[in-house]
Amino acid sequence: MMPENTPSQGSIKVTRPALGRVPGDGVELAFGYWPGLGAPVVGLHGLTASHMNFVGIAERLAGRCALFALDLRGRGDSDKPTTPYGFAQHARDVAVAMRAMGLGPSIVVGHSMGAFVATALAAQEPNLVSSLVLIDGGLVPNTPSSDSAGQGVAAALALRIAQLRQTYPSRQAYREFWRTQPHFPAEEWNPWVEAFLDYEVGGDSPVQPKASEAGVLADLREAFQPDAIAERLKSIRVPTLLLRAESGFTPGQLPLFPDALAAQFRSLLPHIEDHKCSGTTHYTIVLGERAATKIADLICELSSRARSRLSP
């Protein structure tokens, strides 16, 4: 069920954040909605994350734009079917959900895997996408998996998948585990990170990450099919921003999107605008204070550009 006040009800103005469920393509998807006055924004999260990935960006938007963020199938509190998965399927889910919520052309923001889904949506449903913001995602390196960077990414992904099978005594224990890890430096630890982590696990005692391992693995397989991804990127005509973290999964690690990969992006999508976010990791680029503020401001700038193009 959708909450009583949703953007699809036209005359009713949503004045506070709402949680609910919305139809996807044969599944039900959980969502978070933060109201706003400007162009609608759709948030699509990373491989094992949830709509809470965007809680900081929503707060920094401060009502300037409405933000609708989904738990993709197999993640968060959304349905977790055995099959199908893949970026085209997620894009079909998002399109159904957007129409159910009464959303037209929107600024679609994708982080990590969500960037792949965002480009699939733009290719499949161009009328639903006014512009794209791709955050540390949307393309895999055209480099051998045997090199040091490729090995580092593979090891990090394998560890993350293994963590999906682990249990923790409580949500507090899960938070404290991540406090000991380098992914969220102490200066970037904040209430947004805690809310994100609290939502990421389910159960009472013990708790376990909600993401479906089968769904995660199915989506990972598609991420390494570069030809299909390249064709999608070549078809995109809307304004597109690429935001890149300075470091990889942890501070000081090689970035997932170095300059060479950004150049590959530009060869497929010549009009893309490239932005580096200093002092960020793959995680803090969305949940850290400075980066969330920067992304919110860039979203509002895109919204203003769209209004200018429509003005006589």
Side-chain angles (χ1 to χ4, degrees):
M1 278 178 77
M2 290 189 288
E4 282 187 18
N5 294 338
T6 70
S8 64
Q9 289 179 299
S11 61
I12 299 176
K13 181 181 178 182
V14 183
T15 59
R16 58 189 177 188
L19 299 174
R21 293 176 70 80
V22 67
D25 179 32
V27 294
E28 278 200 342
L29 304 175
F31 70 84
Y33 179 79
W34 292 266
L37 300 175
V41 179
V42 175
L44 305 176
H45 62 73
L47 185 65
T48 63
S50 71
H51 77 274
M52 290 298 288
N53 205 52
F54 296 94
V55 62
I57 294 170
E59 188 169 317
R60 287 294 169 260
L61 281 171
R64 292 177 290 171
C65 292
L67 174 59
F68 171 60
L70 289 158
D71 293 352
L72 298 173
R73 67 168 58 204
R75 280 72 169 184
D77 287 339
S78 289
D79 289 349
K80 298 174 176 66
T82 305
T83 57
Y85 285 91
F87 306 141
Q89 178 58 62
H90 287 302
R92 286 192 288 272
D93 287 337
V94 175
V96 171
M98 288 177 67
R99 291 189 172 107
M101 295 293 281
L103 297 179
S106 301
I107 300 170
V108 180
V109 182
H111 173 235
S112 193
M113 187 195 81
F116 292 89
V117 179
T119 57
L121 180 67
Q124 294 167 210
E125 298 278 359
N127 292 335
L128 290 179
V129 180
S130 62
S131 51
L132 288 169
V133 180
L134 309 178
I135 306 172
D136 236 29
L139 188 65
V140 292
N142 186 20
T143 56
S145 60
S146 58
D147 70 11
S148 58
Q151 288 176 345
V153 170
L157 291 172
L159 177 60
R160 186 66 189 122
I161 291 165
Q163 288 169 343
L164 298 180
R165 306 179 201 126
Q166 295 177 6
T167 60
Y168 303 81
S170 64
R171 281 174 174 76
Q172 181 178 352
Y174 187 66
R175 289 198 305 270
E176 290 308 312
F177 163 77
W178 280 104
R179 266 191 185 274
T180 68
Q181 304 302 303
H183 304 73
F184 297 101
E187 64 272 17
E188 293 282 22
W189 189 270
N190 59 49
W192 303 335
V193 173
E194 293 192 355
F196 169 80
L197 293 172
D198 282 351
Y199 185 82
E200 191 167 63
V201 290
D204 294 318
S205 182
V207 299
Q208 184 173 1
K210 295 174 182 175
S212 159
E213 182 178 347
V216 167
L217 290 171
D219 290 332
L220 265 180
R221 284 192 290 271
E222 186 171 331
F224 292 93
Q225 296 179 9
D227 291 344
I229 292 166
E231 287 307 309
R232 286 186 188 126
L233 289 171
K234 290 176 183 176
S235 73
I236 292 169
R237 299 290 179 267
V238 297
T240 303
L241 306 187
L242 173 64
L243 277 67
R244 299 189 278 141
E246 182 178 55
S247 298
F249 296 109
T250 60
Q253 197 176 59
L254 291 173
L256 299 182
F257 275 74
D259 292 345
L261 188 54
Q264 288 182 34
F265 237 129
R266 283 193 300 275
S267 70
L268 299 167
L269 199 58
H271 64 274
I272 199 167
E273 298 178 28
D274 184 19
H275 297 261
K276 290 184 183 179
C277 296
S278 62
T280 59
T281 70
H282 185 66
Y283 295 96
T284 62
I285 195 172
V286 284
L287 287 165
E289 171 71 33
R290 288 171 298 165
T293 301
K294 177 175 182 174
I295 291 169
D297 289 343
L298 286 170
I299 288 170
C300 292
E301 182 184 329
L302 277 175
S303 177
S304 296
R305 284 192 224 168
R307 287 198 301 273
S308 297
R309 288 196 302 270
L310 293 173
S311 298

